[in-house]
Amino acid sequence: MRIHFFLLFFVLSQVMWSQRKPPVAKETFPESNSELPKEKDVALSREFELEKQTQDSINSIPKKKSRKRKAFQQFMKPMGEITVKDYKILHYDGTEESVDTTLSIEGEYRFNFLREDYFEYLPLPNMGEGFNRLGYDFQNMPLTPQMGMRVKHFGYFEKEDVRYYEVPSPYTELFFKTTFEQGQHLDATLAINTSPKFNVAVSFRGFRSLGKYVSSLSRSRQFRMSTQYQNYNLRYRLRLHQTTQSIENEVNGGLNNDSVYFFENAPNYVVADQNGEPILDENGEQQFQFYDGFLDRSLLTTQIQANNELSGKSYFMEHRYQMLPVVKDTTSYKMAVGIRTHYEKKKYLFNMNRVNRYLYETFDVSGVEDSTDLATFENNLFISYDDPGLGKFNLDFFQYNWVYELGENEYEKDTLLPNKIDARQLAVQAQWNKSIYGFRTHLQAYQSFNKEYASSSLEASIQRFLIKDFSFFAKYQYRSQPLNFNYYLTQSDFKEYNWNLLDLVNPTFSTRSLGIFHSKWGSVKGEWTQIDHYTYFNNSTPLTELNKKFKVEVRQFDRQIDYLKVRFDQRLDFGKFSWINNAQYQKVRYEENPDPDEVLSGPLGLNVPEWLVRSTFMLTSSLFNKALFFQSGATFVFFTDYYADQYNPLIAEFVTQNNEKIGEYPRVDFFFNAKIKSSRLYFKLENLSAPIEHLIKVDTPYDYYSAPYTPYRDFSVRFGLIWNFFE
C-alpha cells in the first residue's frame, strides 16, 4: 500500500511540475468534459521538426508528379492547426473516433479490465477471472461457430477488437490500474507515422493479480501490432495486424459448503455441539463465538486447485481499392473493392495435478491434462457502392475453414469419441443503407451455403429524428446460427465430460427492438426476443451432492422462450452536480406445454434478475485556476435475486442451475477522478457498503456473490491512471 501511495504522489508531482515547462500540447478545460470540446483541444509544439518531417516526405515524391503533390498537400492540415481530434482511432467495421482525453462518467464506467461498461456484467472475485451475466444481447453474437470456453474470452482480442491509428505525430497511451494482491495492470499503446499516410501502432497489455482466495492467480500477456497505409489520394488502403496472447488463471471451483458458512457468518459463529446442533443459553437463545480469522479469505477452503489457459496467435490483412471519384481531385469515391484474409490459431489447456472427485472420476488418477485447439482461416471479398440517389450497397463473400481438434491421450477415452471437426463454409452478405424522407433505413441479409454449420440472418431497421429533440428507432432481426464447437464435441480426462452431439440443431432468435431518445430526459429501449432450440450447459449434479460434485451436460430446450428487456438511461445535471441513472427490467417466459401429460424436458435454461439498477451521484468541478478538473461521487448498484449461472473451470463456461440464488445486496462504490492536462487519475473505494453494513450491525451476513458458491469482491481501495502523450 505504501508503494501505491508513493507511486501516486510521484505521478502527481511530475504532472504538476510539467506545467512549469513549455507544454507539448495545449488543452482547454471546459466546465463539462462529458464530450470533446468544440474548440481546439491541442495545439502541437515542435512545429519546425514536424513540418520538416512532412516536407521531407512530400519532397521525396518525384517532381514530375507535381499534380499529385498538389493534391496531396490539399488534404494535409497545417501543423499549427492540429488538434486532438486529428488523432484518430479506426475500427474494423469502418467506424472511427478521435482520441478522447476528457474526464466523463462514461470513462469512469470504462476504467476497468475490459475497458467497457460493466452494467450487465458481474465480475468474479479476481481481476481477469471472468464475468457472470446480468443480461443478454442476442443481436450481436457471431454468426459462425466459435471455439467455446467463453469465460476465457473475456478480454481476449478478436480481430474486431484490434485498433488502427491515424496520427499526425507520435502518440502514446498508458493505462495503469492496481489489482488484488501482488501485481499490477498495464496496457500501453504507441502509434507513430513514418509518413503522413503510413501509421504503425504497437500495444501490449500485461497484468498479474494474486487474488484473495486460494488458487485464484490471474495473469495475461497480450501483444498487438497494427499497420495502416493509404496512398496520397486515398484510393488504396492496406491494413495489417498481428496478435499474440496468453490468458492464464489458477482456478478453484468456488468455496465448499463449510467455507460458505464461514464466509457468510464471519466473524460471529454459532456455538454448536458435536452433532452440529446450536447450544442454547438459559434464555433459549443461541450462543456466538467471535473469530475474525476467516476475514482473511485465503484461509477458506476451495474445491480444487488447477490451471486453465487460453493462448492464441492471429494474422490479418486487408486490401481496399476505391474507384469512381465523386468529383475530380477529391478523396471521396463511389465504389470500393477489397479482400480480407484472417488466420488464427487458439489453444485451450486445463491442468490439474492433485485430482479429487469434485468433477467426478478420471481416466488417469495421476493427473488431468486436457487441450483443445481451433484453427480458423477466413477470406472475405467485399464490394461497396455509394450513390446519393440509390443509397449505399455492400456485398460480402465469405469463405471459412475450421479445424477443431481435441488432445489425444494413450488410454480408453480416445476410443470413445472422435477428436476432430474439420469443416468448411461459404456465405454471402448484402447490406443497404439509405435515408428516405428523413428515415435512416438499414437492410442486411446473411446466408451460408453448406449444410453443416450453416447460418442465416435477416435484419431491418429505421431511425428518425422527431420534434423537440426526440428521435426513435425500430429494428427487427432474425438469425439462425450454429453453436460453438464445444457443444458438439468435447473430450476430457474426466469421464463425465465427454460428449459427441453433432445432431444438435441451430438455435433461432427473433428480436424486435424499439427505442425513444431525448437529448435531456434520456432514452428508453426495449427488446423482445423469441428463442427456439435454446442450447446451454446445465448443472446435472444430483441434489444430494450439490457443491460436493459438479456434473455438466448439454441441453437443448424444446419450448419457445420469450425474453423481454427494457432499459432506461438518463442523466440530469444540476449546476456542478449530476445524477446518472440506468435501470433495466427483464422477464423470461417459457411457452406453455400443449400436452399437460408431457414433462418439460430439462430445467429452465435462461435466468436473469428481474431488476437491475445503477445510480450515480456526482460532483464536477475544477481547482487551482482550472489546472485540475475533477469528478467525485458514489455509484449504487442493485439487482434482484435470481438463479445465477455457476462457473465450471474445466470447460471454462458458465453453467445453468436452478437451486441457488444470488443478489438482493446493495453495492456502493465511491470514486474520485481528476484530470491534469492530458492525464486522468482514478481513485475508487470498491464495495464500500460492505464494511459500513458491518459497522452498523456486526452480525450482518456476507451474502454477496458473483456466482453460486463464488463470493463477490470484498471492500478494496484501488487507483490508476490513463496518460496520453502527443509528441
Side-chain angles (χ1 to χ4, degrees):
M1 183 61 69
R2 291 180 179 177
I3 295 177
H4 293 167
F5 281 108
F6 174 79
L7 178 61
L8 180 60
F9 174 79
F10 175 78
V11 171
L12 286 172
S13 63
Q14 291 298 310
V15 175
M16 297 297 291
W17 177 257
S18 67
Q19 296 181 11
R20 300 171 57 90
K21 303 177 182 180
V24 174
K26 298 178 182 178
E27 188 168 9
T28 58
F29 290 85
E31 289 298 322
S32 174
N33 280 38
S34 60
E35 59 181 12
L36 287 172
K38 296 181 180 179
E39 299 180 359
K40 297 178 182 178
D41 295 280
V42 177
L44 298 178
S45 63
R46 297 175 57 194
E47 296 177 11
F48 174 81
E49 290 84 357
L50 291 174
E51 286 185 2
K52 184 177 184 302
Q53 172 188 340
T54 305
Q55 291 298 326
D56 289 343
S57 64
I58 295 175
N59 293 334
S60 64
I61 302 175
K63 293 183 178 180
K64 64 179 181 179
K65 297 182 179 180
S66 59
R67 181 177 298 178
K68 293 183 178 180
R69 188 163 65 245
K70 181 179 179 181
F72 184 69
Q73 291 175 336
Q74 177 183 354
F75 302 107
M76 285 183 56
K77 201 172 186 178
M79 296 305 299
E81 298 179 9
I82 295 294
T83 69
V84 70
K85 295 182 181 180
D86 295 297
Y87 291 80
K88 296 180 181 179
I89 301 173
L90 313 173
H91 298 276
Y92 174 85
D93 61 0
T95 60
E96 65 178 51
E97 60 180 323
S98 298
V99 169
D100 185 3
T101 62
T102 61
L103 193 65
S104 63
I105 188 60
E106 292 78 15
E108 156 64 20
Y109 291 155
R110 292 195 299 265
F111 188 74
N112 50 48
F113 173 69
L114 296 181
R115 307 287 297 268
E116 62 180 85
D117 195 342
Y118 279 2
F119 181 66
E120 290 188 342
Y121 289 153
L122 186 59
L124 294 179
N126 198 10
M127 185 176 179
E129 196 173 2
F131 300 83
N132 212 338
R133 289 193 176 274
L134 299 171
Y136 289 87
D137 178 8
F138 293 112
Q139 299 190 68
N140 296 306
M141 298 181 297
L143 282 168
T144 56
Q146 305 296 302
M147 182 182 193
M149 297 79 183
R150 298 314 303 168
V151 176
K152 295 298 295 183
H153 284 77
F154 284 109
Y156 185 90
F157 290 96
E158 306 287 357
K159 68 177 185 296
E160 296 85 0
D161 302 319
V162 177
R163 296 177 168 184
Y164 304 88
Y165 290 80
E166 185 176 293
V167 295
S169 68
Y171 164 74
T172 304
E173 180 186 84
L174 297 179
F175 174 100
F176 167 81
K177 190 173 185 179
T178 57
T179 59
F180 298 98
E181 305 286 345
Q182 300 184 20
Q184 309 294 343
H185 177 204
L186 178 67
D187 191 355
T189 296
L190 170 63
I192 60 174
N193 59 334
T194 59
S195 69
K197 293 302 178 184
F198 183 73
N199 292 261
V200 179
V202 178
S203 303
F204 181 81
R205 179 169 73 180
F207 82 92
R208 184 184 189 276
S209 181
L210 180 64
K212 302 287 187 178
Y213 295 85
V214 174
S215 188
S216 62
L217 172 67
S218 298
R219 58 184 171 221
S220 78
R221 296 175 295 276
Q222 296 172 277
F223 172 82
R224 298 99 67 200
M225 183 176 69
S226 63
T227 302
Q228 175 171 285
Y229 167 76
Q230 296 185 92
N231 66 346
Y232 74 97
N233 58 5
L234 308 187
R235 273 186 179 269
Y236 173 72
R237 186 184 73 188
L238 169 67
R239 283 182 174 178
L240 303 169
H241 82 239
Q242 190 271 330
T243 65
T244 301
Q245 306 180 66
S246 175
I247 301 176
E248 306 170 34
N249 295 96
E250 291 182 357
V251 292
N252 54 42
L255 304 178
N256 61 23
N257 287 326
D258 289 341
S259 292
V260 168
Y261 171 78
F262 294 138
F263 166 76
E264 291 184 352
N265 295 281
N268 295 300
Y269 300 99
V270 176
V271 179
D273 57 23
Q274 295 180 349
N275 298 322
E277 298 295 330
I279 298 177
L280 306 179
D281 58 16
E282 60 275 8
N283 298 322
E285 297 181 352
Q286 295 179 348
Q287 300 184 52
F288 291 88
Q289 179 179 356
F290 179 86
Y291 176 70
D292 60 357
F294 288 117
L295 295 178
D296 179 359
R297 305 309 190 187
S298 63
L299 299 179
L300 297 172
T301 306
T302 56
Q303 299 285 7
I304 62 174
Q305 295 185 28
N307 300 273
N308 62 18
E309 176 186 357
L310 176 67
S311 58
K313 288 188 176 182
S314 70
Y315 306 88
F316 175 84
M317 177 175 61
E318 178 194 84
H319 299 275
R320 190 186 72 161
Y321 184 78
Q322 298 189 99
M323 58 190 73
L324 304 180
V326 176
V327 295
K328 188 177 180 181
D329 294 332
T330 183
T331 56
S332 298
Y333 301 88
K334 291 184 178 182
M335 188 173 181
V337 296
I339 186 170
R340 302 184 183 102
T341 301
H342 178 237
Y343 175 79
E344 184 171 40
K345 177 74 172 181
K346 293 181 181 179
K347 189 177 189 67
Y348 172 74
L349 296 172
F350 179 90
N351 297 305
M352 179 188 286
N353 296 323
R354 298 173 58 185
V355 178
N356 60 26
R357 291 178 175 267
Y358 177 66
L359 297 169
Y360 286 83
E361 297 181 357
T362 62
F363 289 100
D364 186 354
V365 296
S366 62
V368 172
E369 292 185 7
D370 290 348
S371 67
T372 304
D373 293 85
L374 177 65
T376 303
F377 184 68
E378 174 187 348
N379 286 307
N380 171 207
L381 175 66
F382 61 91
I383 304 171
S384 67
Y385 182 80
D386 190 356
D387 183 87
L390 300 176
K392 184 175 182 179
F393 296 88
N394 293 281
L395 188 62
D396 293 79
F397 300 93
F398 298 93
Q399 182 266 327
Y400 302 99
N401 186 12
W402 303 289
V403 179
Y404 174 79
E405 195 167 6
L406 304 169
E408 296 184 358
N409 291 289
E410 298 179 354
Y411 45 84
E412 178 185 0
K413 83 177 182 70
D414 292 322
T415 65
L416 299 178
L417 303 173
N419 73 326
K420 186 177 182 180
I421 295 177
D422 191 345
R424 292 170 176 80
Q425 187 59 264
L426 298 173
V428 62
Q429 177 177 277
Q431 297 184 57
W432 176 64
N433 296 275
K434 179 74 168 72
S435 181
I436 305 174
Y437 298 109
F439 289 90
R440 296 175 57 185
T441 307
H442 169 75
L443 296 175
Q444 177 177 304
Y446 178 97
Q447 181 62 56
S448 53
F449 298 106
N450 295 339
K451 183 178 179 181
E452 291 186 337
Y453 311 107
S455 53
S456 61
S457 173
L458 178 64
E459 180 179 310
S461 66
I462 58 172
Q463 184 176 354
R464 179 178 169 81
F465 286 97
L466 303 176
I467 59 174
K468 294 184 180 179
D469 298 325
F470 276 99
S471 64
F472 87 100
F473 87 97
K475 179 180 177 181
Y476 172 78
Q477 184 190 82
Y478 169 84
R479 58 168 54 205
S480 171
Q481 61 189 56
L483 301 161
N484 294 332
F485 285 114
N486 62 338
Y487 282 98
Y488 298 110
L489 181 64
T490 291
Q491 278 193 7
S492 173
D493 290 349
F494 287 98
K495 294 182 179 180
E496 299 293 337
Y497 288 81
N498 293 271
W499 55 76
N500 181 16
L501 303 171
L502 299 180
D503 57 344
L504 291 172
V505 300
N506 282 6
T508 61
F509 305 86
S510 298
T511 303
R512 300 159 182 84
S513 306
L514 182 66
I516 300 176
F517 304 88
H518 188 271
S519 58
K520 179 180 179 180
W521 301 111
S523 64
V524 178
K525 294 176 287 186
E527 295 179 5
W528 172 35
T529 303
Q530 293 178 302
I531 310 171
D532 288 299
H533 308 297
Y534 182 69
T535 308
Y536 57 98
F537 294 103
N538 178 62
N539 186 342
S540 57
T541 310
L543 294 178
T544 57
E545 296 182 335
L546 282 179
N547 206 35
K548 298 176 182 177
K549 295 186 177 182
F550 199 174
K551 181 179 178 181
V552 172
E553 63 181 354
V554 177
R555 284 192 175 272
Q556 192 158 61
F557 206 69
D558 61 356
R559 298 285 184 271
Q560 187 180 83
I561 301 176
D562 289 328
Y563 172 47
L564 174 66
K565 179 169 73 171
V566 180
R567 175 170 172 172
F568 171 70
D569 300 294
Q570 182 189 57
R571 172 173 179 158
L572 299 175
D573 294 315
F574 310 95
K576 294 184 177 182
F577 293 93
S578 299
W579 188 24
I580 303 96
N581 296 295
N582 311 101
Q584 185 164 288
Y585 173 78
Q586 301 176 112
K587 189 70 175 179
V588 178
R589 187 181 67 86
Y590 297 87
E591 182 184 35
E592 295 183 2
N593 195 335
D595 185 359
D597 298 327
E598 183 181 352
V599 179
L600 188 68
S601 65
L604 305 183
L606 183 63
N607 298 314
V608 291
E610 186 173 9
W611 283 100
L612 172 60
V613 177
R614 179 178 65 189
S615 184
T616 299
F617 189 74
M618 177 178 66
L619 167 66
T620 301
S621 188
S622 58
L623 297 172
F624 310 118
N625 294 324
K626 298 186 178 181
L628 183 146
F629 179 81
F630 75 89
Q631 293 178 330
S632 181
T635 298
F636 169 84
V637 179
F638 178 83
F639 60 91
T640 53
D641 60 347
Y642 76 112
Y643 292 110
D645 293 345
Q646 185 176 354
Y647 178 46
N648 186 292
L650 173 61
I651 60 175
E653 296 276 8
F654 275 102
V655 176
T656 298
Q657 59 86 35
N658 291 274
N659 299 294
E660 291 289 331
K661 286 186 175 183
I662 69 169
E664 295 284 356
Y665 60 86
R667 188 175 81 239
V668 178
D669 299 333
F670 172 82
F671 64 90
F672 180 87
N673 305 329
K675 177 184 176 184
I676 307 172
K677 297 186 66 175
S678 60
S679 62
R680 286 153 288 165
L681 308 176
Y682 295 84
F683 179 82
K684 178 177 283 190
L685 305 178
E686 293 188 359
N687 200 8
L688 180 62
S689 51
I692 293 177
E693 263 192 310
H694 287 82
L695 284 175
I696 297 174
K697 188 177 181 181
V698 179
D699 57 350
T700 300
Y702 290 87
D703 57 353
Y704 42 84
Y705 286 89
S706 298
Y709 319 115
T710 302
Y712 182 71
R713 299 167 178 175
D714 290 317
F715 168 72
S716 59
V717 180
R718 303 179 70 189
F719 69 89
L721 62 86
I722 299 178
W723 205 338
N724 303 99
F725 299 91
F726 303 89
E727 295 296 335

